[in-house]
Amino acid sequence: MAKFPLIPALGLIVILALSGCAATVAPQLNPIPYYTYYPASLSVVTQAARQALPQAGMHLAGVKQISPDTVEVHGFDPEGNAILITLHAESAAVTRFTARIGLIGHLKEVEEIEHWMGKDVGKAISASPPG
């Protein structure tokens, strides 16, 4: 009977040890698609996505027009994880950006892509003549 209290204690130790490991990995994980909105047309944001992947050290594999309002940008990161960026025109001047890398998201890398996209979209917006 003395062994039974030892089992829950060992279980608790294992859980605590694993939770420590998860804490170091968790900031990298993105279990849901990451998204943001850009105040620019679908074509401007698509061009920014094409430029952002190489700027972020990733490879652009291709761009596919899914519908008049939706474009997919495909690529892969240096580790070979698939990148899927979906761009959807919410209006003529607003585009929604959604991205996933691999199965678990890789939030840090997605944020790196978004950083470069933001710079490129900002340049395109500032270069366009006021309307």
Side-chain angles (χ1 to χ4, degrees):
M1 291 286 190
K3 291 183 180 181
F4 287 114
L6 184 60
I7 292 172
L10 288 175
L12 182 60
I13 291 170
V14 169
I15 290 171
L16 290 174
L18 291 176
S19 68
C21 292
T24 60
V25 175
Q28 291 287 323
L29 301 180
N30 183 22
I32 58 172
Y34 183 92
Y35 69 92
T36 193
Y37 292 89
Y38 289 101
S41 69
L42 180 60
S43 63
V44 167
V45 178
T46 299
Q47 184 59 33
R50 293 175 80 114
Q51 295 170 345
L53 287 177
Q55 290 170 327
M58 300 173 197
H59 179 74
L60 174 67
V63 177
K64 182 178 181 182
Q65 186 84 34
I66 302 301
S67 73
D69 295 337
T70 305
V71 171
E72 287 183 352
V73 178
H74 298 269
F76 55 90
D77 69 5
E79 289 80 38
N81 296 305
I83 298 171
L84 173 61
I85 297 172
T86 304
L87 305 172
H88 180 75
E90 299 290 324
S91 70
V94 175
T95 301
R96 183 175 192 221
F97 162 89
T98 305
R100 296 266 312 170
I101 298 177
L103 296 175
I104 56 174
H106 295 83
L107 183 58
K108 181 181 173 188
E109 289 85 354
V110 171
E111 289 175 336
E112 181 72 13
I113 294 168
E114 186 194 25
H115 165 78
W116 289 105
M117 284 187 61
K119 285 186 167 209
D120 292 335
V121 169
K123 287 177 191 175
I125 291 172
S126 65
S128 64

